[in-house]
Amino acid sequence: MDERLATETIVDGRYRILERIGSGGMADVYRAEDLQLGRDVALKILYRRFSQDGEFVERFRREASSAAGLQHPHVVSVYDRGEWDGTYYIAMEHLEGRSLKQVVLAEGPLAPARAVDLVIQILRAAKFAHKRGIIHRDLKPHNVIVDGEDRAKVTDFGIALAGVSDMTQTGSIMGTAQYLSPEQAQGHPVTGQSDLYAIGVILFELLTGRIPFDGDSAVTIALKQVNEPPALPSSFNGTVTPDLDAIVFRALEKDPARRFADADQFIAALEEVAAHLADGTAGSTGVTSVAGAAVAYGLPPAESGLSQHTQVSGQIPTVSAYDGYAYPATAPPELDPDREDAQRWWIALLAGLLVAGLVIGALLLSGGDKVTVPQVVGVDEASAVTRLRADGFDTDITTKNDPNAPKGQVIGQIPSGNSEADKGSTVTLTVSDGPGTATVPRVVGDGRLVATKKLRDAGFLVREEEDFSADVGENRVISVEPGQGEALEKGSTVTIVVSSGAERVDVPSVLRQSREDAQATLEDAGFEVSVREMESEEDVGTVLSQDPKAGTARPKGSRVTITVAKASEAVDVPNVVGQSSAEATAALSGAGFTVLPRDQEVDSPDEDGVVLAQNPASGKLKRGERVTITVGKFSPELDPDPTATPEPTPTATP
């Protein structure tokens, strides 16, 4: 079934497929656009047929976890991982370039200086991983990307081992046969030296354009890895110097203890060769043979990386071993059979043949009847053991956490179901111990995508709910259930409540209402109220306008401003002339003025208490200003008695 994704497919709402750029044994790789960050990524998507296989899913998850913790210039960065449409994906750094395998296939043997430079870069990546307890276990040119400037980056940590592996059982072989160390080929524990062996194979391939061991099947190749010496790289590329031959041979030692102690030591040896190649002094140390190179580097014969090799016909040239030194592969040195060193040589040869026979016997020629191993993956442990024992097999049980399988379910078996195995042999079952537990991380206040990634990385499924919040910004987490810091079984669902912003409501109309009524209406609707005043002929306190307008949707808690009427500061001065003093004072005070009365004597009692004049007589004044009124005042004692006889006017005496 073709599982390829069409271009323009959107993966997990975030990644838009642009093109398919490669495929492997467990996944397709696409160039995709990250729609959130606007950058190209390499999107690795597990084949759906493997998505229900706990072993494959664990291997895929381990790749993301291992590489995500390795931020290094020579390791491909992993950005994200997730579950989508029934399968799993990893989003990683997209590199413009070719795999190192493509480089070798296109260009053949590389110049020694270039090969050394590329391998040093790979070793630096391995060194960084090893110091963090991570062993790659599948280093090969296919997993190294080289850009246009020959910068190398290591990818595909799919079977990387972090600490004690829970994926490897005794006797299992994981990795690619042509690059497997002898201990991996035999199912023994791996160490950093296993990666160094694989890098030695890569160096051999870069220098020669071919791999040191090949065959018709993985078993054939594995046997060669365990038993046969490689040819000299210089036999295929005349520019390879003896000291570089010696480095390759040491990296390819069968015994891990005889290889380089760590990546630093391997790098140091290559850097010395690189220095000689750069200044044209290669071979100036007087090295003319592999054995001489070992001596030149100060390596004791037993540590030179050469003690493993015995004469093998058909390799031109190769080396043979005698007391730990290397000799041209013509014939073994003539020895007195009574000499102790000759006896050691024959003992070593017989021991080697015995080991080879044991390996071949164990892998290919095991005695006993061959029977079909039942397929028990997916059934419970008790049923699986009963079935296997009924068919004549012993069982060995290992457990591991698996978020996709209930506790007690078989999630892996070695040998695999429907394969042939000796009756009476042991079938190793991997049984789910449940998903394990993890602590709910702190995500309150995080963006929804960041929070989702944190929770998924912790092993949880995520469910989202939305709610309004005036305090938490839109698309940020308001709360999480179960709470932060709680221990929870992996694979459980954690619910995050994400803010959709403050609740929005329609602004009610308060026009023509009194100030008090308008404020109450708006506050009941969830708004805060601001008041402005404006002079108006309307009744004081009447709402003249509002902002926002009625019917506009606004977040609850936001502010609405109302404008209310206030009295004008300048008003008409009423004309009170002819009114009584009391009436005039009331009229002027009511209009907001201060009244200043002033008396004026009058002759007629009819004008007594009457306003005779005012100042100002008309126009406008600000409220509170003074208006002067002149009020008539009649005094009776000044009025002559109309009944009295007027006194005669005195006349002057002449």
Side-chain angles (χ1 to χ4, degrees):
M1 182 178 71
D2 190 355
E3 298 184 6
R4 297 183 186 180
L5 299 181
T7 57
E8 302 302 318
T9 299
I10 305 298
V11 174
D12 206 12
R14 177 169 179 176
Y15 302 103
R16 181 169 64 90
I17 299 297
L18 301 177
E19 61 176 328
R20 182 170 171 271
I21 56 178
S23 63
M26 61 189 293
D28 276 324
V29 182
Y30 300 86
R31 182 171 68 89
E33 179 188 4
D34 184 336
L35 298 175
Q36 285 188 13
L37 301 179
R39 65 183 176 188
D40 279 3
V41 299
L43 197 66
K44 189 170 187 177
I45 300 180
L46 182 68
Y47 295 138
R48 285 184 177 82
R49 61 182 181 272
F50 296 143
S51 62
Q52 301 304 313
D53 187 315
E55 195 77 15
F56 277 97
V57 172
E58 173 64 14
R59 174 174 173 173
F60 204 67
R61 183 200 66 79
R62 187 181 296 279
E63 174 174 357
S65 299
S66 298
L70 298 176
Q71 300 300 315
H72 187 270
H74 297 301
V75 177
V76 173
S77 299
V78 168
Y79 301 138
D80 187 20
R81 73 176 185 188
E83 183 177 353
W84 170 80
D85 195 25
T87 188
Y88 300 83
Y89 69 83
I90 300 171
M92 64 188 82
E93 178 183 7
H94 177 254
L95 300 174
E96 294 292 345
R98 300 177 291 171
S99 72
L100 193 52
K101 187 68 173 180
Q102 291 172 317
V103 172
V104 175
L105 291 174
E107 302 179 28
L110 306 185
R114 185 183 179 197
V116 166
D117 177 65
L118 288 167
V119 169
I120 286 175
Q121 294 181 61
I122 298 169
L123 281 165
R124 286 180 176 146
K127 168 188 172 182
F128 187 79
H130 292 172
K131 286 185 180 297
R132 283 150 184 81
I134 295 175
I135 302 167
H136 192 288
R137 299 200 299 171
D138 195 21
L139 284 168
K140 54 188 177 183
H142 315 65
N143 292 337
V144 180
I145 305 299
V146 180
D147 67 12
E149 298 180 8
D150 262 7
R151 290 175 298 201
K153 288 201 174 189
V154 177
T155 185
D156 198 356
F157 281 76
I159 58 173
L161 170 66
V164 179
S165 173
D166 57 5
M167 289 180 62
T168 303
Q169 293 83 27
T170 302
S172 68
I173 299 175
M174 304 192 75
T176 305
Q178 290 87 345
Y179 303 90
L180 281 181
S181 64
E183 60 270 22
Q184 281 176 280
Q186 297 174 82
H188 295 162
V190 298
T191 64
Q193 275 78 16
S194 305
D195 278 352
L196 299 187
Y197 183 95
I199 296 173
V201 176
I202 293 172
L203 179 56
F204 184 101
E205 186 172 358
L206 297 186
L207 292 170
T208 66
R210 65 186 69 200
I211 51 179
F213 304 108
D214 204 356
D216 297 331
S217 68
V219 172
T220 301
I221 298 169
L223 286 170
K224 290 182 178 180
Q225 297 279 22
V226 172
N227 296 294
E228 295 186 8
L232 288 169
S234 58
S235 65
F236 304 106
N237 182 351
T239 63
V240 176
T241 58
D243 48 3
L244 195 48
D245 272 335
I247 289 173
V248 172
F249 268 53
R250 182 171 184 185
L252 298 183
E253 266 283 5
K254 307 302 183 188
D255 182 356
R258 293 182 179 275
R259 296 175 205 149
F260 292 102
D262 51 33
D264 275 330
Q265 194 178 72
F266 200 158
I267 290 169
L270 287 176
E271 285 179 338
E272 185 170 350
V273 170
H276 294 322
L277 293 171
D279 61 20
T281 60
S284 63
T285 57
V287 174
T288 57
S289 67
V290 180
V295 174
Y297 278 101
L299 302 175
E303 299 180 1
S304 67
L306 308 175
S307 60
Q308 61 184 320
H309 303 291
T310 57
Q311 181 179 349
V312 179
S313 62
Q315 294 180 332
I316 305 174
T318 184
V319 294
S320 57
Y322 173 70
D323 275 357
Y325 286 97
Y327 296 89
T330 52
E334 294 185 6
L335 302 173
D336 181 348
D338 294 328
R339 286 179 51 187
E340 182 181 354
D341 51 8
Q343 294 171 2
R344 286 203 304 271
W345 185 82
W346 285 106
I347 291 171
L349 177 59
L350 289 172
L353 291 172
L354 178 60
V355 170
L358 289 174
V359 172
I360 293 171
L363 292 176
L364 299 175
L365 303 176
S366 302
D369 298 332
K370 295 287 186 181
V371 293
T372 300
V373 180
Q375 169 63 266
V376 294
V377 172
V379 304
D380 64 272
E381 178 184 347
S383 299
V385 170
T386 300
R387 172 72 187 280
L388 288 165
R389 288 180 177 172
D391 285 9
F393 294 101
D394 288 332
T395 56
D396 183 30
I397 307 296
T398 63
T399 61
K400 76 170 184 179
N401 295 128
D402 188 333
N404 300 307
K407 187 171 183 178
Q409 184 181 86
V410 176
I411 55 177
Q413 68 179 86
I414 298 174
S416 60
N418 300 318
S419 64
E420 297 291 320
D422 293 332
K423 191 169 185 177
S425 61
T426 298
V427 176
T428 300
L429 301 179
T430 302
V431 178
S432 172
D433 199 25
T437 60
T439 299
V440 178
R442 300 186 65 83
V443 295
V444 172
D446 289 343
R448 71 195 310 160
L449 294 176
V450 171
T452 297
K453 185 176 185 303
K454 280 185 180 180
L455 290 164
R456 285 179 176 172
D457 287 348
F460 302 116
L461 301 176
V462 182
R463 185 168 69 90
E464 282 190 13
E465 294 180 358
E466 289 193 351
D467 198 3
F468 297 111
S469 175
D471 302 319
V472 179
E474 190 172 356
N475 286 322
R476 292 196 171 274
V477 176
I478 301 171
S479 63
V480 59
E481 179 64 34
Q484 299 175 142
E486 290 191 28
L488 192 64
E489 190 174 75
K490 290 182 179 180
S492 300
T493 298
V494 175
T495 301
I496 56 175
V497 180
V498 179
S499 172
S500 55
E503 183 180 0
R504 300 174 77 86
V505 294
D506 289 340
V507 179
S509 175
V510 294
L511 295 178
R512 312 300 301 169
Q513 293 184 15
S514 69
R515 173 175 178 165
E516 292 75 14
D517 289 346
Q519 280 188 271
T521 299
L522 291 168
E523 288 172 355
D524 287 345
F527 298 103
E528 295 185 6
V529 182
S530 292
V531 180
R532 291 191 309 152
E533 292 184 328
M534 186 174 70
E535 292 181 4
S536 172
E537 297 298 326
E538 298 286 344
D539 293 340
V540 173
T542 301
V543 176
L544 305 174
S545 65
Q546 66 182 76
D547 183 28
K549 294 180 179 180
T552 306
R554 286 290 186 272
K556 266 190 174 182
S558 59
R559 188 175 298 277
V560 176
T561 300
I562 58 174
T563 302
V564 300
K566 73 174 182 176
S568 175
E569 293 183 359
V571 297
D572 291 331
V573 178
N575 187 345
V576 295
V577 174
Q579 296 180 15
S580 68
S581 175
E583 292 173 338
T585 299
L588 290 169
S589 298
F593 301 112
T594 300
V595 180
L596 180 64
R598 189 177 66 178
D599 293 339
Q600 178 179 323
E601 292 185 359
V602 294
D603 297 332
S604 171
D606 294 337
E607 294 180 334
D608 186 41
V610 175
V611 176
L612 304 175
Q614 70 181 64
N615 184 30
S618 61
K620 291 183 179 291
L621 286 179
K622 290 183 177 180
R623 295 178 186 275
E625 290 197 53
R626 185 172 60 186
V627 176
T628 302
I629 58 174
T630 302
V631 181
K633 184 178 182 182
F634 175 72
S635 298
E637 64 271 12
L638 298 177
D639 187 14
D641 187 356
T643 62
T645 302
E647 291 183 1
T649 302
T651 57
T653 302

